[in-house]
Amino acid sequence: MSPVQAPAVVEAAGALVWRVRLGRLQVALVHRPRYDDWSWPKGKVDPGETILSAATREVAEETGHDVVLGIPLPGLEYPLSDGRLKRVHYWAAQVAGRPDAAALRARPPVPPASTKEIDQLRWCDVAAASKRLTRDDDQEPLAELVEAYDKGRLDTRALVVARHGTARRRADWKGTELDRPLTPEGQRQARALVSVLSTFGVGKVVTSAWARCVSTIAPYAAAAQLTPEVSSILTEAQHSTSPARVAAEVLALLQLGEDAVLCTHRPVLPTVVDVLAQHARRPVADALPQADPFLHPAQVLVAHVAQTPKGPRVVATETHRPHEL
């Protein structure tokens, strides 16, 4: 017998866009006249698009609001009539504000959906939203959102930890470690990171002073019109001398309360991850990368950080690799 093939998967993404009005948690619902249903803004991932970019694009199309993604929420899976499986990824999200201007500059413009696709947007208190939702499956991400709000874990900022893109091999490079460059593949990875970083509202760029890190973050800095903060502390050489200084820099970014990216090297990552773990809930710390290489070239670890009376708290994490352009 031939092996049974898994069904093809249709990837989709969206968000539960939330706000607080008069002390009440509210979420945005959209109405689709074709199905006469109320649901979360979402849609299919376009070819070559990341699920992150699809989420912010679809929300912008269907609600008219640019958003910044927050903590990941439970997704959905269900079979389609043609035998394929549809997988929907969700995040909590907030409407972008003035601090997110740089990230929005790095995004392409998004035309609104037609009224044949979406004809109403309604902000509802969460109890009313629960009653209005058409699909029972849409209750699960809402329940997670409400729980995160009740526990002070919903209003977060992202610290994105990026490993630099693929670089020239040491054996093939006649220069120094300071100027060893990215390969063409690494340059493509760097360009692809632009859309990943913009979805999390990154408005501060901190990078190791070595060329392969500076070059990895340069396309985003240019698109967002930001000036990177170049740090010798985050280089391999300085880390080997004083890991404590690296740890202090990571902690300062956690305490900052802004969406930021830190780009560094594989040997530095254990210290970075250790600081995140020290300031994370136990289940979150246990889910962090545990072993070398921690991240692959150009892969990012997104730490969602809530500011609490006891200091910064990493309440959720996720990892992503950019689609190379």
Side-chain angles (χ1 to χ4, degrees):
M1 294 179 62
S2 59
V4 177
Q5 290 188 336
V9 177
V10 177
E11 301 284 0
L16 278 63
V17 188
W18 66 275
R19 69 184 187 186
V20 178
R21 289 291 184 272
L22 300 176
R24 301 168 72 94
L25 179 63
Q26 298 182 334
V27 288
L29 300 180
V30 294
H31 182 260
R32 302 184 298 175
R34 178 182 176 186
Y35 304 101
D36 190 23
D37 69 355
W38 288 92
S39 64
W40 308 120
K42 64 181 182 302
K44 294 178 184 177
V45 177
D46 287 340
E49 186 179 39
T50 65
I51 57 172
L52 299 170
S53 296
T56 54
R57 175 184 56 76
E58 287 288 344
V59 171
E61 287 180 2
E62 296 191 358
T63 70
H65 293 301
D66 291 311
V67 298
V68 171
L69 300 186
I71 62 172
L73 297 172
L76 305 176
E77 284 190 0
Y78 52 91
L80 298 173
S81 58
D82 60 6
R84 294 181 299 170
L85 182 70
K86 187 166 186 179
R87 181 183 297 140
V88 187
H89 306 263
Y90 283 122
W91 285 264
Q94 289 181 276
V95 175
R98 188 172 299 174
D100 307 306
L104 297 186
R105 288 194 290 266
R107 298 183 191 178
V110 177
S114 73
T115 54
K116 292 182 179 179
E117 183 180 355
I118 301 294
D119 64 351
Q120 294 184 64
L121 164 69
R122 187 164 298 180
W123 286 95
C124 303
D125 290 352
V126 290
S130 179
K131 294 178 181 178
R132 187 175 291 273
L133 284 167
T134 302
R135 290 179 60 94
D136 289 341
D137 288 348
D138 282 338
Q139 300 287 344
E140 185 177 358
L142 178 60
E144 188 83 6
L145 183 96
V146 172
E147 181 180 3
Y149 176 73
D150 290 342
K151 294 183 176 180
R153 300 172 185 166
L154 185 56
D155 191 6
T156 60
R157 297 298 175 266
L159 174 56
V160 184
V161 179
R163 179 180 168 186
H164 65 73
T166 303
R168 290 276 299 272
R169 294 174 54 199
R170 286 181 171 88
D172 298 334
W173 178 243
K174 300 186 184 303
T176 68
E177 278 296 277
L178 281 68
D179 57 4
R180 183 157 62 91
L182 298 178
T183 63
E185 177 187 10
Q187 294 168 4
R188 290 192 295 271
Q189 292 167 341
R191 292 193 295 271
L193 271 177
V194 173
S195 65
V196 174
L197 298 178
S198 69
T199 60
F200 293 109
V202 168
K204 183 181 182 66
V205 175
V206 181
T207 177
S208 158
W210 287 3
R212 51 192 181 274
C213 283
V214 173
S215 297
T216 295
I217 222 68
Y220 179 75
Q225 300 174 31
L226 292 169
T227 301
E229 296 182 15
V230 180
S231 171
S232 61
I233 295 173
L234 297 173
T235 64
E236 291 183 35
Q238 287 296 317
H239 175 260
S240 65
T241 300
S242 179
R245 295 184 69 187
V246 173
E249 188 142 340
V250 177
L251 178 57
L253 288 172
L254 288 176
Q255 294 170 331
L256 187 64
E258 296 180 14
D259 297 307
V261 61
L262 178 156
C263 186
T264 190
H265 310 263
R266 187 180 78 175
V268 183
L269 290 174
T271 297
V272 176
V273 171
D274 184 59
V275 175
L276 298 181
Q278 290 175 24
H279 293 83
R281 297 169 50 232
R282 177 49 51 196
V284 176
D286 290 344
L288 285 166
Q290 301 291 323
D292 187 65
F294 289 89
L295 294 173
H296 297 287
Q299 189 177 22
V300 300
L301 167 64
V302 184
H304 297 280
V305 186
Q307 299 299 324
T308 76
K310 295 182 179 180
R313 196 76 169 161
V314 180
V315 298
T317 63
E318 53 189 304
T319 57
H320 296 279
R321 298 182 77 170
H323 288 320
E324 293 176 23
L325 304 177

